[in-house]
């Protein structure tokens, strides 16, 4: 198979125009490779609450301590902001970041109307983030804290009195093996930090029920072979590890690209030739998109390049929002159901 790794994916553009057209793989690759200080996923053992009300949880191998309930919180991506809103924490928000890159769902968007938008389509600059005087910053990855990109580092935020929490599926040692269920670890921890255990438990129950419904509906199906790809600007990439892989697996697919393949030994994405994808003859293709224009571009490429491929011929080309494959988002669960519904419409 003519596939190679893609080191050039390890950087991001600063400009808004380039950020809107940046590759999903660029976004997640940079997040993976720029993680600093991250180790094991969150576990329950170190969690503690002391007599003063301070809460300590383990996150990416570090202890995160909050002295009381945070009241000046920044969601560093709309997916994280959404999670905070659904936990009933709208009044605790001091800022929402990357809000121009992705929109909030309609049913919670109004709750954030008065929350300052910082950073446009990209993570906020150090100055913009510190200007809202956060005491808690919640992000999908630690890319948002890359000092070399002009962002406030975790250390700088700590000096300013802000705790930092990163989605556990975005920790460095979880990026290749992350699972949709990592979201439930995050919800449990957020429930403890903000004193909203009941709300967190309700969200966990609701989303576990969605996954259970999909699992029951797809049990015993003749699994379709599904390839997950990303296309932009003439470059085709295969996605074969991490949360993206788990989403497909939970949707009942037989994944064409898997973490045990040499392609993904060190990285969750690899550049792919059209001939290599055609040779796999997938029954379905899943791809992430950052907007309607990008989705149309990808669909046209797949339709014109692979007209005889089973996935194209049978109209099983499935687009999901790029924000739904960010670590630690409710969109991870939504994507599982969306993909399963389109793979097996007679089951769901």
């Amino acid at each position: 198979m003519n596939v190679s790794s893609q080191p050039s994916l390890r950087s991001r553009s600063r400009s808004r125009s380039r950020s809107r057209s940046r590759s999903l793989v660029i976004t997640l690759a940079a997040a993976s490779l720029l993680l600093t200080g991250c180790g094991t996923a969150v576990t329950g053992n170190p969690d503690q609450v002391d007599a003063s009300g301070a809460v300590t949880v383990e996150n990416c191998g570090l202890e995160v301590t909050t002295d009381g309930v945070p009241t000046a919180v920044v969601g560093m991506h709309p997916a994280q902001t959404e999670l905070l809103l659904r936990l009933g924490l709208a009044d605790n928000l001091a800022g929402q970041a990357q809000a121009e890159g992705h929109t909030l769902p309609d049913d919670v968007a109004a709750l954030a109307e008065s929350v300052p938008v910082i950073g446009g389509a990209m993570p906020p600059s150090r100055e913009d983030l510190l200007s809202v005087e956060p005491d808690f910053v919640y992000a999908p990855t630690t890319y948002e804290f890359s000092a070399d990109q002009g962002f406030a580092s975790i250390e700088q935020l700590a000096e300013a009195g802000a705790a930092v929490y990163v989605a556990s599926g975005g920790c460095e040692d979880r990026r290749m093996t992350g699972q949709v269920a990592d979201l439930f670890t995050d919800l449990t921890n957020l429930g403890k930090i903000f004193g909203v255990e009941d709300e967190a438990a309700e969200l966990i129950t609701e989303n576990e029920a969605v996954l259970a419904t999909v699992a029951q509906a797809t049990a015993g199906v003749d699994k379709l072979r599904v390839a997950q790809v990303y296309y932009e600007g003439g470059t085709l990439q295969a996605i074969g590890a991490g949360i993206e892989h788990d989403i497909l697996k939970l949707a009942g697919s037989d994944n064409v690209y898997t973490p045990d393949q040499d392609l993904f030994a060190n990285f969750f994405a690899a550049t792919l030739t059209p001939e290599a994808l055609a040779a796999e003859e997938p029954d379905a293709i899943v791809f992430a998109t950052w907007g309607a224009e990008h989705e149309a571009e990808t669909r046209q490429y797949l339709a014109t390049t692979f007209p005889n491929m089973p996935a194209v011929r049978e109209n099983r080309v499935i687009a999901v929002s790029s924000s739904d494959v960010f670590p630690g988002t409710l969109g991870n669960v939504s994507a599982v159901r969306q993909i399963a519904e389109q793979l097996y419409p007679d089951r769901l």
Side-chain angles (χ1 to χ4, degrees):
M1 183 179 294
N2 187 6
V3 185
S4 63
S5 62
Q6 183 71 0
S8 64
L9 298 177
R10 301 182 183 186
S11 62
R12 277 188 176 185
S13 165
R14 285 174 176 266
S15 72
R16 175 177 173 182
S17 62
R18 288 180 65 190
S19 70
R20 286 193 177 278
S21 62
R22 71 187 183 274
S23 162
L24 169 66
V25 177
I26 292 175
T27 303
L28 298 182
S32 171
L33 295 167
L34 291 169
L35 282 165
T36 57
C38 283
T40 58
V42 177
T43 62
N45 294 334
D47 299 350
Q48 51 187 292
V49 181
D50 67 21
S52 69
V55 176
T56 299
V57 300
E58 186 183 335
N59 177 239
C60 292
L62 301 174
E63 286 191 346
V64 177
T65 299
T66 54
D67 186 10
V69 174
T71 58
V73 183
V74 174
M76 291 293 278
H77 186 275
Q80 271 62 48
T81 300
E82 177 193 354
L83 208 57
L84 295 166
L85 292 172
R86 294 196 186 281
L87 287 170
L89 300 172
D91 292 340
N92 300 64
L93 288 173
Q96 52 177 320
Q98 302 190 70
E100 294 180 11
H102 300 278
T103 58
L104 288 166
D106 292 341
D107 63 325
V108 295
L111 298 174
E113 285 181 351
S114 63
V115 179
V117 173
I118 52 177
M122 291 290 287
S125 68
R126 179 184 304 108
E127 294 75 17
D128 285 346
L129 179 54
L130 294 177
S131 73
V132 299
E133 300 182 350
D135 58 7
F136 188 87
V137 181
Y138 176 31
T141 70
T142 53
Y143 171 75
E144 284 79 8
F145 309 115
S146 302
D148 61 348
Q149 298 292 312
F151 310 147
S153 69
I154 292 175
E155 293 76 17
Q156 289 168 336
L157 286 165
E159 291 173 2
V164 170
Y165 187 93
V166 177
S168 57
C171 297
E172 184 175 19
D173 71 338
R174 296 289 294 157
R175 188 59 193 90
M176 296 293 288
T177 59
Q179 298 178 334
V180 172
D182 290 332
L183 166 66
F184 304 138
T185 297
D186 296 330
L187 281 169
T188 298
N189 284 334
L190 292 171
K192 294 173 183 176
I193 290 168
F194 289 95
V196 290
E197 290 93 339
D198 290 345
E199 290 83 350
E202 184 176 350
L203 277 177
I204 291 171
T205 298
E206 290 175 359
N207 285 276
E208 284 181 334
V210 172
L211 295 179
T213 296
V214 172
Q216 182 177 5
T218 58
V221 297
D222 185 9
K223 292 185 177 182
L224 297 172
R225 295 185 70 250
V226 183
Q228 186 166 187
V229 302
Y230 187 83
Y231 174 79
E232 186 172 28
T235 299
L236 182 66
Q237 294 155 329
I239 312 296
I243 290 171
E244 297 88 343
H245 172 266
D246 194 48
I247 287 173
L248 287 193
K249 186 173 68 174
L250 293 176
S253 81
D254 176 13
N255 293 9
V256 171
Y257 302 113
T258 60
D260 58 350
Q261 296 172 0
D262 290 343
L263 297 174
F264 311 105
N266 300 306
F267 203 55
F268 71 99
T271 300
L272 191 67
T273 65
E275 293 78 13
L277 178 59
E280 294 290 350
E281 297 189 329
D283 299 310
I285 290 177
V286 171
F287 68 93
T289 174
W290 46 262
E293 181 180 348
H294 179 229
E295 178 179 347
E297 175 190 3
T298 303
R299 289 189 182 279
Q300 181 178 12
Y301 168 79
L302 294 172
T304 56
T305 308
F306 310 104
N308 298 316
M309 180 182 291
V312 175
R313 192 172 61 242
E314 300 298 326
N315 196 29
R316 283 194 292 261
V317 178
I318 304 168
V320 297
S321 170
S322 62
S323 65
D324 287 347
V325 297
F326 269 76
T329 72
L330 293 171
N332 295 164
V333 177
S334 300
V336 170
R337 183 176 184 93
Q338 176 193 348
I339 293 168
E341 287 176 338
Q342 296 189 55
L343 291 178
Y344 312 109
D346 58 332
R347 293 289 190 119
L348 286 156

